[in-house]
Amino acid sequence: MTPARPGPRDPLGSAERPRILVLRALGLGDLLTAVPALRALRTAHPQHELVLAAPRRLTEAAAATGVVDRLLPAAAPARNVPQAIDWTGPPPAVAVDLHGNGPASHLPLQALRPARIFAYAHPATPRIAGPEWREDEHERSRWCRLLTWYGIPADPDDLRIAAPSEPSPAPGAVVVHPGADAGARRWPPERFAAVAHALHRAGHRVVVTAGADEGPLARQVAAQAGLPPSAVLGGASDVPFGELAALVARARAVIVGDTGLAHLASALGTPSVVLFGPVAPRLWGPPRVPRHRVLWHPDHLDRARPGDAHGEQPDGRLLRITAAEVLTAVAGLPEPVRVPSRPVAAPVP
């Protein structure tokens, strides 16, 4: 799959095929939680071209879902909605808002004059007759409920993607990922290091992954854990998606906070221990099956969003999780069950 290249002879693909535009201009975890909804759209409209409006860096990940035909680059800072979508050619047959709720995401889609719009209802855009938005709802279920309201059955548990066929850079390793987009969701590096050190001493191969600009954090964790510098993957830039997916797909386990790599472990069926703080796992957590262990210490009110998910300091609930708890959770994980491999997606030109 390649990014869309609009032109007079190729307006986002063949004009002979009706097109569905899906707006989900967010991150990797957001894309993966939308897989059940995207798969439902593909099943309901097998002859349509499914175009995903999302950041260009997700092109390979979108291809890995097996349901997206084309990625149309679209992004805005700080998880905001792109003000306009660079669409040419005939209007979409259907435009689907999987980005948010309200005029910020509705209006860019309405501007394309699609035959139909699937979106949640909002008083500021009364022409859209959709279901009511619910704050306390898991992200996968939210978008499946939207499509079901429009007559498209969708299963929030249909989230798995196939593993890539390329080899893992560290087969059988325990993957430790200390980073997250916001400080509120970053467990302290010295605790990640304590976990990595204990696992390394117990005979496990441990690798520390890092996204762009997370190199210093990953190297700190590796050094404190007594791991060699070669144990760090990524940092100066993101680990290429194919390599990252191969690593996770063939890992013994993944230890991670509430961030995109946790959703990749869920999508590939890799055992994981996921640490939550400012947001309840019932909104963004992995499936409730034995291969995924969630650690969370809520306040007595057990609110869905008790903290600021985008705050700068580690959330107090996250800090209640100890290294000993994480090690106990890892020890209780079942052995991985491997999913069939898929061909490597074509690289972004």
Side-chain angles (χ1 to χ4, degrees), residues 254-282:
V254 172
I255 304 171
V256 62
D258 178 17
T259 190
L261 199 70
H263 299 289
L264 185 58
S266 294
L268 292 167
T270 301
S272 66
V273 175
V274 189
L275 287 58
F276 281 83
V279 177
R282 67 175 179 269

Side-chain angles (χ1 to χ4, degrees), residues 274-301:
V274 189
L275 287 58
F276 281 83
V279 177
R282 67 175 179 269
L283 299 187
W284 285 90
R288 295 183 179 181
V289 294
R291 66 176 170 270
H292 302 301
R293 302 293 177 95
V294 166
L295 297 180
W296 191 50
H297 296 297
D299 301 322
H300 68 283
L301 294 176

Side-chain angles (χ1 to χ4, degrees), residues 1 28 31-36 38-39 42 50 52 58-69 158-162 241 267 342 345:
M1 184 186 68
L28 175 62
L31 168 61
L32 294 172
T33 56
V35 163
L38 291 169
R39 188 164 287 139
R42 164 57 66 226
L50 201 159
L52 177 68
L58 295 180
T59 299
E60 193 177 356
T65 67
V67 294
V68 174
D69 295 310
D158 189 12
L159 76 163
R160 295 287 291 273
I161 64 174
F241 179 79
R342 59 172 169 79

Side-chain angles (χ1 to χ4, degrees), residues 135-235:
E135 287 295 333
D136 195 347
E137 185 171 25
H138 196 285
E139 191 72 2
R140 294 192 306 273
S141 298
R142 180 189 309 286
W143 305 116
C144 289
R145 181 169 65 87
L146 171 69
L147 295 184
T148 300
W149 192 91
Y150 283 100
I152 298 177
D155 179 3
D157 292 327
D158 189 12
L159 76 163
R160 295 287 291 273
I161 64 174
S165 57
E166 65 184 86
S168 167
V174 176
V175 177
V176 174
H177 187 80
D181 289 343
R185 289 177 281 118
R186 289 189 206 116
W187 201 46
E190 60 271 15
R191 299 192 197 179
F192 272 114
V195 169
H197 176 70
L199 292 171
H200 177 60
R201 289 196 62 182
H204 291 279
R205 182 178 183 182
V206 180
V207 297
V208 183
T209 52
D213 302 323
E214 293 178 344
L217 172 63
R219 289 191 291 271
Q220 175 189 350
V221 169
Q224 292 182 357
L227 302 175
S230 60
V232 176
L233 299 180

